[in-house]
Amino acid sequence: MSSPSHTDPIHEASPELLDEIGERVLWLSTAIIHHANRVRPNPSGLKVGGHQASCASMVSIMTALWFDQLQPGDRVSVKPHASPVLHSLNYLLGDLEEKYLTTLREFGGLQSYPSRSKDPDTVDYSTGSVGIGATAPIWGAMARRYVQTSTGQTSSGRQYSLVGDAELDEGAVWEAILDPGVAELGEVVWIIDLNRQSLDRVVPMIAAGRLEAMFAAAGWQVITVTFGALLESLFTRDGGIQLRERILGMPNAEYQRLLRCSPDEVRNRLPGDGDGAFAIAALIADLDDSTLAAAIRNLGGHDMSALIRAYREIDDTRPTAIIAYTIKGCGLPTEGHPQNHSSLLTVDEFASFAAELGRDPGQPWERFPDESAPAQLCATTAERLRRDPVPAAPRLEVPIDSGRTPKGTSSTQAGLGRVLLDLNRSAPDIARRVVTVSPDVSSTTNLAGWVNKVGVWSAAERHNWFDDDPETLMHWREKPTGQHMELGIAETNLVGLIGELGATWSRWGEPLFPIGVMYDPFVERALEPWSYGIYAGGQSILVGTPSGVSLAAEGGAHQSITTPSIGLEQPGCIAYEPAFGIDVEWTLLASMGRLGRPDGTSAYLRLSTRPVDQSLANVPDDPAARERRRRQVVAGGYPLVRQANPVVTLVAMGAVVPEALAAADRLEQAGVAADVLVVTSAGLLFEALQARRGQGSAPTWILDQVLPADRATPMVTVLDGHPHTLAFLAGVNRVASVSLGVSSFGQVGSLDDVYRLHGIDTDSIVRAALDVTA
C-alpha cells in the first residue's frame, strides 16, 4: 500500500480533543511506571525504575504527532525514556493488549526502552543508547532510498526522531547531522524535547538559538515552538513585550524554579528587577491564580495548536528540526524539579494525581467509552496508520565457492576486493544486493576495483569531472544505481548505516548484503552503535582492515590489539580472521548467506595488508577434499599440517600463520614433530567447546576434526592480537599450553622487528614449543 502524502487531508481533531487524549496518555504512561515500581511484587528489592518526568515532557508532542500528522509509511524513533508514552499510544490505538501494561521491565514484558525485536507492540526503531536511536532514522531514510533505487519498491514516508535535548550532547549526533549527504534527505524530521534538564540538574547553558544555528548551518529547516496560545495572547497586552523578553532572557534554572512556586511567589519573582518589572507586575496582577499557573507552564511543546502548526510547516525538500520548549514532568507533582529525571511519584502523590484527573487508581487501564469522541478518534487514527504486512523476504542462494584457488602472493585485504568482483561476474543477481560502505578509505582498503565497477550511490546523479583524466585510476561515478556508499570519517555513521541497510528485509521484504569497511583500530570506536544495531535486528558485515601490528610502519596508534577479543565476544555476530585469500572468499560468502533473514547473524572479518604466499594454504585439488576444507574454514578452523606422531600443536590465526609454518619446519629439523592448526573463527570454536560441555547448542563436530583427542599434545597459540583470544583452546583436551600474542602498544619498524618485539615471530614460537614440551 502506498502511503498518502502529508498534504492529504486527514481527520482534523480539535486541540481540545487532542488535549483530552493527551491527558489519558499522561495518565497511562505514569501508571505503567507506577505499577512496575509500587504495585507489582518485587521480592529482590532491586530498583525497577522508569522515567515518569521524561515521559510527561513528551506527551503532547507525541499525541499531536500520532493523531494529527503520522501516515502509515512514516517511521518514528522514540527517545528511550519515553517508551511508556509509546506503549500508551499503541494501547489506545489497539496495538497493545492490556495485559502488557503491568509488565514494564518485567521478564518477557515491555522493555525498558523501545525494542523492535522484543516489545510486543509496534516499535519502528530500537533506542536506549544515547545518540544511536536519534540518528537511526537518518540511516533508515538512506536505506529506504537505496532499496527504492536498487532492488525493489518501498513505502514512502517521513523518518521522525524524537530526541531529548541532553541527547544532543552526544558527538555522534552531530557527526550524522553534518554528513554532506544528509542535507538531501527531506523526509528526516527531528523533534527536540527542549526541557533543559539532564539526569542530574537543570542545564544552565542550553539555548534554542545556538541549536537553531547549528542545524541551520547543516542545511536543515528549523522550526522553534516556544510558547503556547495563552502566553502568546498575554504578549499582545500591555506589558506583554516585557514579559516575553523576561521569560526568554532568564536563566533556565530560574524559570524551572518558578514552576515550584505558589502563585503569590510567582507574582513576586516573575517581574524580576529589570526595566520591565513594573509592566510585568501590572500585567500578571490581573490574572487569577489558575490562569497565572497555566500561563507560566504554557510552553509550545505542550500546546496542541502550536505543535500542529509546526508539523504542518515541515518542508519535505530538506531535513527539519523542530525545537519544542517543554517542561520535564509537565502535569505531574514533580514537574520542574531539578532531580526529577528518575524520581517516582509516591503512593500518595499518585493518588492525588489520579483524583486531579478523575481516574481510579484501582482501575488504571480504562479505555475511552466506545461512543465518545476520543474513542472515535482513536479508531480512525488506528485505521489511518494501519500498515500492510511486510512481504516475506526471498531466500537468496549465495554461492559458497567460486572454484578458483588464489595464486601468487597476496594479502587478505586484497582478497576482499577480488571476491566482490568475482561475485559480480559469477552471480550478478546476488552481487546486485551487495552494498559497500566506507568512511573515506575505499582506496586504501582495496575497494577501488569494486567501486570502479559498480559506481557510488547518490540520491541524484552527479557529473564526474575526472572521468576523462587518464591518470585517475579510481573513478568516482555517483548515481542512484551505485552500490558503494561513502560517508565522512565518522565510524559511528558507517555502522549506523549498515545496521539500517541490514534491516531492509524486515521493513520492506528486500534483503541487502551490507559490507562496511574501516581501519581495524577504529572498530572499537564504532563498536557500541554497531552492537546496538545488531541488537535491533540489523544484520551486516563489518570488515576491519588493515589490522594488528602487522601494520608495522604505521606505529602503535594504528595497530589493533583487542579486536580479536571483540570478535570472540560480540553477541549476534560471527567473527573471522582468515589467513589466506581462499579463506576470505569462503568466510565472506558464508557470512553473506547468513544475512537478511529472521534467524540471520552479522559478521566481522579482520583482514591484513601483509602479503602472504598463497601456496602455503595447500588447498586440496580433489573436489570432496576441497569442500571438506571449506566447511572447516567456515566452521572455525582447519588442520594445515598433520605429522605422524606429533609432540606439539601450533595453533595460529590470521597474518602469523606463515610464522607458525616456518616454526613447524624448524622444529621438525630439530626432531620435534608439530601439527599446525589454522583458526579462522575463535568464536565459533569457543561456542563448540561450550556446547560440548552442555552450555549451548552449537555444532561440535569441528572440534573433533581440528583437535581430536587422539592427537592431543601440548599447545602453542599465536595471533596478531591479544593472546587470551586463543588461550581457551588448551582446554579442549586439557593440555599444557603457551599463548603468544600482542598485549602492549606497538612500535614503528619492520615486520621482523615488530613481531620480535611482541614475541610472535618464528623464533618465539619455536622457543615456546620447546618450553611447553620440555
Side-chain angles (χ1 to χ4, degrees):
M1 179 177 69
S2 61
S3 300
S5 165
H6 289 86
T7 60
D8 293 341
I10 61 175
H11 183 98
E12 294 189 10
S14 68
E16 293 75 20
L17 181 54
L18 293 181
D19 279 331
E20 187 174 353
I21 292 175
E23 182 181 276
R24 185 64 59 90
V25 172
L26 175 63
W27 164 255
L28 287 170
S29 60
T30 305
I32 287 171
I33 299 170
H34 180 80
H35 187 280
N37 289 271
R38 308 290 194 197
V39 179
R40 192 171 70 218
N42 182 11
S44 72
L46 295 174
K47 173 187 173 183
V48 176
H51 301 81
Q52 291 171 327
S54 295
C55 287
S57 66
M58 288 296 299
V59 164
S60 297
I61 289 172
M62 293 176 66
T63 300
L65 183 64
W66 257 255
F67 285 89
D68 182 79
Q69 190 64 208
L70 285 189
Q71 301 290 356
D74 296 343
R75 297 290 185 271
V76 186
S77 175
V78 177
K79 79 171 189 178
H81 294 161
S83 63
V85 179
L86 174 62
H87 298 311
S88 299
L89 287 165
N90 284 340
Y91 173 63
L92 292 177
L93 295 174
D95 188 36
L96 182 66
E97 297 179 54
E98 181 179 319
K99 66 180 182 180
Y100 287 108
L101 300 182
T102 61
T103 67
L104 179 69
R105 302 189 175 207
E106 185 178 63
F107 184 77
L110 298 177
Q111 299 300 295
S112 305
Y113 310 119
S115 172
R116 284 191 72 215
S117 58
K118 295 182 179 180
D119 272 317
D121 51 339
T122 299
V123 174
D124 292 329
Y125 289 99
S126 296
T127 60
S129 189
V130 174
I132 297 173
T135 58
I138 290 177
W139 316 125
M142 202 170 286
R144 186 197 66 78
R145 289 198 182 199
Y146 183 86
V147 170
Q148 191 75 31
T149 57
S150 62
T151 62
Q153 295 296 312
T154 65
S155 60
S156 60
R158 289 177 181 159
Q159 302 281 337
Y160 290 91
S161 286
L162 307 182
V163 186
D165 51 8
E167 197 165 8
L168 297 180
D169 291 342
E170 172 57 54
V173 166
W174 297 103
E175 286 183 348
I177 290 168
L178 293 172
D179 190 88
V182 172
E184 299 177 334
L185 303 177
E187 63 267 45
V188 170
V189 179
W190 283 29
I191 304 173
I192 298 157
D193 171 18
L194 194 75
N195 60 47
R196 292 157 290 174
Q197 282 187 242
S198 62
L199 190 150
D200 293 327
R201 61 175 181 155
V202 177
V203 181
M205 299 304 292
I206 286 182
R210 182 160 52 94
L211 295 176
E212 290 169 0
M214 293 169 73
F215 277 103
W220 291 46
Q221 176 194 23
V222 181
I223 301 169
T224 302
V225 191
T226 310
F227 301 114
L230 176 56
L231 271 177
E232 290 289 1
S233 69
L234 292 179
F235 295 155
T236 64
R237 302 185 188 181
D238 290 342
I241 294 175
Q242 292 85 348
L243 176 61
R244 189 177 193 279
E245 291 175 350
R246 166 72 172 134
I247 293 176
L248 288 174
M250 70 173 59
N252 292 333
E254 183 182 5
Y255 178 81
Q256 299 286 94
R257 183 65 183 87
L258 290 174
L259 302 173
R260 312 289 299 170
C261 293
S262 68
D264 287 342
E265 289 177 306
V266 172
R267 295 181 200 280
N268 181 53
R269 290 171 179 254
L270 180 56
D273 54 8
D275 294 339
F278 180 81
I280 297 170
L283 172 59
I284 63 177
D286 293 336
L287 304 178
D288 59 56
D289 288 354
S290 62
T291 302
L292 179 60
I296 204 63
R297 290 162 173 78
N298 187 223
L299 299 184
H302 303 300
D303 188 283
M304 295 296 182
S305 296
L307 289 167
I308 290 170
R309 284 196 300 273
Y311 295 159
R312 295 182 183 179
E313 291 176 15
I314 293 171
D315 175 7
D316 286 323
T317 65
R318 55 181 172 150
T320 297
I322 298 175
I323 301 173
Y325 278 80
T326 62
I327 298 168
K328 197 161 188 172
C330 183
L332 300 180
T334 57
E335 70 178 357
H337 192 284
Q339 281 85 48
N340 68 7
H341 180 83
S342 299
S343 66
L344 300 169
L345 301 189
T346 66
V347 172
D348 289 343
E349 286 174 333
F350 185 74
S352 298
F353 179 58
E356 180 183 335
L357 300 184
R359 305 258 59 84
D360 180 1
Q363 302 289 330
W365 320 125
E366 184 181 9
R367 295 179 184 270
F368 292 111
D370 289 344
E371 301 304 319
S372 66
Q376 292 177 7
L377 180 57
C378 287
T380 56
T381 300
E383 178 59 26
R384 185 184 83 240
L385 296 180
R386 183 184 62 82
R387 297 171 180 169
D388 288 340
V390 176
R395 191 62 176 248
L396 302 173
E397 296 298 327
V398 178
I400 60 175
D401 188 353
S402 69
R404 188 181 62 82
T405 302
K407 307 294 184 183
T409 299
S410 183
S411 68
T412 53
Q413 178 178 285
L416 170 67
R418 186 173 58 247
V419 172
L420 292 175
L421 288 172
D422 285 348
L423 187 68
N424 197 60
R425 288 188 290 267
S426 62
D429 291 342
I430 295 297
R432 190 69 194 94
R433 293 182 181 269
V434 173
V435 52
T436 55
V437 186
S438 70
D440 197 31
V441 293
S442 302
S443 57
T444 54
T445 54
N446 283 86
L447 287 180
W450 165 258
V451 172
N452 285 344
K453 182 68 176 179
V454 302
V456 178
W457 183 85
S458 175
E461 188 159 356
R462 295 188 177 96
H463 183 73
N464 178 17
W465 293 100
F466 290 89
D467 210 21
D468 59 350
D469 185 343
E471 296 182 4
T472 300
L473 300 180
M474 186 174 180
H475 297 285
W476 209 252
R477 300 185 179 100
E478 297 180 84
K479 52 189 178 181
T481 56
Q483 289 179 247
H484 177 73
M485 306 175 80
E486 185 150 305
L487 305 176
I489 304 176
E491 287 77 13
T492 55
N493 287 353
L494 181 145
V495 294
L497 177 54
I498 63 174
E500 287 304 318
L501 289 167
T504 57
W505 67 272
S506 62
R507 294 194 189 280
W508 304 290
E510 290 289 345
L512 297 173
F513 303 127
I515 302 173
V517 181
M518 67 175 66
Y519 291 166
D520 194 66
F522 305 146
V523 166
E524 292 174 75
R525 184 184 301 174
L527 181 60
E528 187 208 2
W530 187 53
S531 178
Y532 207 88
I534 295 173
Y535 166 82
Q539 300 162 12
S540 60
I541 298 172
L542 182 61
V543 178
T545 184
S547 66
V549 299
S550 295
L551 192 62
E554 294 292 338
H558 279 71
Q559 296 171 359
S560 53
I561 296 172
T562 62
T563 45
S565 303
I566 289 172
L568 176 67
E569 297 164 8
Q570 173 60 47
C573 170
I574 296 175
Y576 289 110
E577 185 162 349
F580 302 103
I582 192 66
D583 299 351
V584 174
E585 176 186 312
W586 289 338
T587 56
L588 180 62
L589 294 177
S591 298
M592 289 173 56
R594 299 187 187 105
L595 301 178
R597 62 194 209 195
D599 61 343
T601 59
S602 294
Y604 163 48
L605 271 65
R606 188 174 188 255
L607 305 183
S608 171
T609 51
R610 183 190 182 183
V612 172
D613 180 0
Q614 298 300 302
S615 67
L616 295 176
N618 196 24
V619 180
D621 293 326
D622 180 80
R626 179 187 176 98
E627 172 59 13
R628 182 172 183 267
R629 167 71 71 84
R630 188 199 67 82
R631 289 172 182 264
Q632 291 172 336
V633 166
V634 171
Y638 57 94
L640 190 52
V641 175
R642 286 290 203 215
Q643 300 283 6
N645 296 293
V647 296
V648 67
T649 300
L650 307 182
V651 182
M653 186 164 75
V656 296
V657 168
E659 275 64 34
L661 290 171
D665 288 341
R666 284 173 51 182
L667 287 167
E668 185 175 16
Q669 293 169 14
V672 179
D675 280 353
V676 178
L677 168 65
V678 177
V679 172
T680 53
S681 176
L684 289 178
L685 295 184
F686 181 75
E687 289 178 11
L689 180 59
Q690 289 286 85
R692 176 181 282 184
R693 294 169 173 170
Q695 299 298 314
S697 58
T700 62
W701 62 267
I702 187 63
L703 295 179
D704 298 327
Q705 293 196 6
V706 297
L707 289 171
D710 61 356
R711 298 185 67 85
T713 65
M715 178 183 295
V716 176
T717 63
V718 59
L719 75 156
D720 184 0
H722 199 281
H724 108 281
T725 308
L726 300 179
F728 73 92
L729 288 172
V732 174
N733 292 314
R734 294 181 172 85
V735 298
S737 68
V738 174
S739 298
L740 305 180
V742 182
S743 55
S744 61
F745 289 116
Q747 300 289 337
V748 171
S750 69
L751 198 63
D752 290 342
D753 289 338
V754 172
Y755 276 16
R756 188 179 305 111
L757 170 69
H758 295 286
I760 58 175
D761 59 323
T762 301
D763 285 351
S764 297
I765 299 172
V766 171
R767 282 196 299 268
L770 295 175
D771 288 343
V772 81
T773 57

